[in-house]
């Protein structure tokens, strides 16, 4: 069945009729656990140096590490080198895939690409630059003429954009992540490769919802509700 794109008015009604929106505190503390061994078991000599996120931290009783959105914002703000970018990529993807071993295989394949650290760094720097429009930062990972990498699609590179640019007290962060869970919630077509202009449409939609919902503390509070409806 073809999905019908929801308007901002329809989404406001749905959001107000559901559970309360998450607070900024709830967004920043949004925690996902992962198994470092799922990455370590697949790491080989064709990949960059082993990232720090897989070598430190206190494992729980099942061998998992935990990352929050706040942790990833902090990591993203500190990316300065290609190796920092690889560490950040692994951290964001670990948060994105959680405990699912098979999904790590898809994410780790990207790290075998030539100049992967430099390409990740190039896109992350654009995300960090407040003078670069969100659509342009998105386009950098979307097009082959810039920093596009095999196996890295919008569901994950929009997470890189989002976490690389920590929200300030402003209600509208520059980047938000867009994946099939969010797309389903807003009635977008069942696919996973949106154009830069569609990404711009998505951000405009969320910002329109923000203006209609003064109770929302920040626009990623709306994104989190759409991600976890």
């Amino acid at each position: 069945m073809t999905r019908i794109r929801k308007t901002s008015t329809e989404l406001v009604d749905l959001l107000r009729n559901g559970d309360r929106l998450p607070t900024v505190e709830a967004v920043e503390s949004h925690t996902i656990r992962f198994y470092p061994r799922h990455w370590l078991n697949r790491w080989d000599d064709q990949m960059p140096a082993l990232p720090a996120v897989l070598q430190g931290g206190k494992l729980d009783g099942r061998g998992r590490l935990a990352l929050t959105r706040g942790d990833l914002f902090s990591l993203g703000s500190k990316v300065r080198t290609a190796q920092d970018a690889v560490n950040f990529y692994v951290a964001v993807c670990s948060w994105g895939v959680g405990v699912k071993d098979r999904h790590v295989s898809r994410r780790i394949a990207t790290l075998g690409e030539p100049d992967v650290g430099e390409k990740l760094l190039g896109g992350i720097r654009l995300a960090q630059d407040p003078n670069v429009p969100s659509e342009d930062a998105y386009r950098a990972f979307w097009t082959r003429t810039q920093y596009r990498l095999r196996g890295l699609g919008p569901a994950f590179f929009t997470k890189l954009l989002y976490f690389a640019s920590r929200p300030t007290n402003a209600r509208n962060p520059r980047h938000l992540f867009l994946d099939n869970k969010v797309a389903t919630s807003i009635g977008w077509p069942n696919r996973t490769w949106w154009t830069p202009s569609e990404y711009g449409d998505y951000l405009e939609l969320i910002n329109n919802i923000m203006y209609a919902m003064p109770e929302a503390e920040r626009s990623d509070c709306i994104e989190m509700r759409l991600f976890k409806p």
Side-chain angles (χ1 to χ4, degrees):
M1 179 181 295
T2 301
R3 295 178 186 166
I4 304 299
R5 295 193 181 201
K6 296 180 176 68
T7 65
S8 59
T9 301
E10 290 170 330
L11 286 167
V12 167
D13 289 342
L14 288 171
L15 290 166
R16 283 190 167 143
N17 288 330
D19 294 338
R20 292 182 62 184
L21 290 176
T23 62
V24 166
E25 181 180 2
V27 169
E28 299 261 347
S29 62
H30 181 191
T31 304
I32 293 181
R33 291 173 172 79
F34 72 99
Y35 291 100
R37 67 173 181 267
H38 289 167
W39 294 84
L40 294 171
N41 291 343
R42 293 177 170 86
W43 214 270
D44 62 39
D45 294 340
Q46 305 303 312
M47 297 175 186
L50 201 63
V53 70
L54 298 179
Q55 301 183 75
K58 185 176 181 181
L59 301 177
D60 67 12
R62 298 172 62 181
R64 302 174 300 181
L65 287 175
L67 287 169
T68 66
R69 290 197 187 203
D71 294 332
L72 295 174
F73 286 136
S74 180
L75 275 178
S77 69
K78 298 172 183 175
V79 173
R80 298 292 182 273
T81 68
Q83 186 59 30
D84 291 342
V86 170
N87 184 61
F88 179 58
Y89 169 85
V90 172
V92 171
C93 289
S94 294
W95 184 89
V97 302
V99 298
K100 297 177 181 178
D101 185 27
R102 69 183 184 278
H103 291 176
V104 172
S105 296
R106 300 172 186 172
R107 306 281 68 82
I108 204 168
T110 298
L111 295 172
E113 286 283 278
D115 302 320
V116 61
E118 288 74 13
K119 288 180 178 179
L120 288 169
L121 180 61
I124 289 165
R125 281 176 170 164
L126 291 177
Q128 292 171 331
D129 186 343
N131 297 313
V132 175
S134 291
E135 285 187 40
D136 290 347
Y138 182 100
R139 186 177 290 105
F141 281 125
W142 184 80
T143 179
R144 289 186 176 87
T145 59
Q146 288 186 274
Y147 305 122
R148 183 167 168 176
L149 287 158
R150 178 172 60 91
L152 181 59
F156 279 87
F157 73 63
T158 57
K159 291 178 175 65
L160 293 177
L161 300 178
Y162 167 70
F163 287 120
S165 179
R166 182 166 197 145
T168 63
N169 290 330
R171 282 163 52 85
N172 298 329
R174 292 181 58 242
H175 316 297
L176 294 171
F177 64 76
L178 174 61
D179 59 16
N180 203 42
K181 289 184 179 180
V182 174
T184 297
S185 294
I186 62 178
W188 278 27
N190 188 16
R191 55 190 173 87
T192 57
W193 197 262
W194 303 278
T195 66
S197 63
E198 285 178 311
Y199 186 61
D201 291 343
Y202 162 65
L203 295 178
E204 182 179 2
L205 175 68
I206 299 301
N207 288 337
N208 287 342
I209 295 170
M210 281 292 298
Y211 288 121
M213 297 186 72
E215 65 269 33
E217 295 180 15
R218 209 166 64 191
S219 58
D220 52 353
C221 299
I222 293 171
E223 168 267 300
M224 184 171 166
R225 171 60 69 234
L226 294 172
F227 180 69
K228 300 173 68 176

